[in-house]
Amino acid sequence: GPVTYQQVAVVFATRCAKCHTENGLMGPAPEGFRLTSYADTVSAAERARIVPGNPAASELIRRIRGQARPRMPFDGPPYLSESEIEIIEQWIRDGARDASGNPAPSATDRRVRLHGTLDNAGRLDGLAIIINSESRVDDRPQSGDYVQVRGTIDEYGNVVVERIRRR
């Protein structure tokens, strides 16, 4: 069956919550992102860090894979093992389900902020992004550049770029 929060909560509790909690090792949770409960983990109050159904568009995955800097966990290495990353990716792919198996609310129209390397096809580490006439392109990013993308999630789970710039 689909992966539920109960299965990923163990990884979050043992590897992430030491910082991503109200009063972690470095003080308040970085950027306010707490990984101590399902509600906090999937919250998109400021921006979606998890895009249910789309791990590649999820900031959480990009940070633990090292596509975005700083790589998490911040005190690594050691970083998460491939099996720990895969279970989190599968959880997101399966809809970021709660412990009862209910999928997370859709991320449609939610804001995202992603970092990564732009490839020669205009993708972010292989993630297709939509740059249109309304997208703001700063600093003329080129293939191979590390960039920041700010955008929203459309009804198909795609990232529609509001702004892209070199970092």
Side-chain angles (χ1 to χ4, degrees), residues 141-159:
Q142 304 292 316
S143 176
D145 286 344
Y146 183 77
V147 298
Q148 178 189 72
V149 171
R150 292 181 184 258
T152 56
I153 302 297
D154 71 10
E155 64 271 18
Y156 306 106
N158 300 311
V159 177

Side-chain angles (χ1 to χ4, degrees), residues 20-42:
H20 288 273
T21 187
E22 195 61 41
N23 291 304
L25 292 176
M26 298 169 40
E31 297 185 10
F33 187 39
R34 295 188 307 253
L35 290 166
T36 52
S37 72
Y38 177 76
D40 287 339
T41 302
V42 300

Side-chain angles (χ1 to χ4, degrees), residues 20-152:
H20 288 273
T21 187
E22 195 61 41
N23 291 304
L25 292 176
M26 298 169 40
E31 297 185 10
F33 187 39
R34 295 188 307 253
L35 290 166
T36 52
S37 72
Y38 177 76
D40 287 339
T41 302
V42 300
S43 173
E46 178 190 338
R47 66 180 185 270
R49 291 178 172 97
I50 292 172
V51 178
N54 193 345
S58 300
E59 181 180 1
L60 175 68
I61 292 298
R62 302 184 70 75
R63 295 251 183 219
I64 63 176
R65 281 224 171 266
Q67 294 167 312
R69 295 182 289 231
R71 183 173 184 175
M72 295 290 139
F74 191 69
D75 64 352
Y79 296 109
L80 272 62
S81 68
E82 192 58 34
S83 62
E84 289 171 320
I85 295 171
E86 286 175 10
I87 193 88
I88 296 169
E89 283 182 335
Q90 189 62 49
W91 173 65
I92 295 171
R93 193 174 294 110
D94 288 345
R97 295 170 183 268
D98 65 17
S100 299
N102 302 308
S106 167
T108 301
D109 296 327
R110 298 294 189 177
R111 300 181 62 75
V112 291
R113 184 181 74 201
L114 306 174
H115 293 88
T117 303
L118 199 60
D119 68 20
N120 58 4
R123 296 177 301 196
L124 190 65
D125 298 306
L127 171 68
I129 55 176
I130 300 171
I131 300 174
N132 59 33
S133 61
E134 296 177 14
S135 303
R136 179 177 161 185
V137 180
D138 293 337
D139 305 324
R140 297 174 42 183
Q142 304 292 316
S143 176
D145 286 344
Y146 183 77
V147 298
Q148 178 189 72
V149 171
R150 292 181 184 258
T152 56

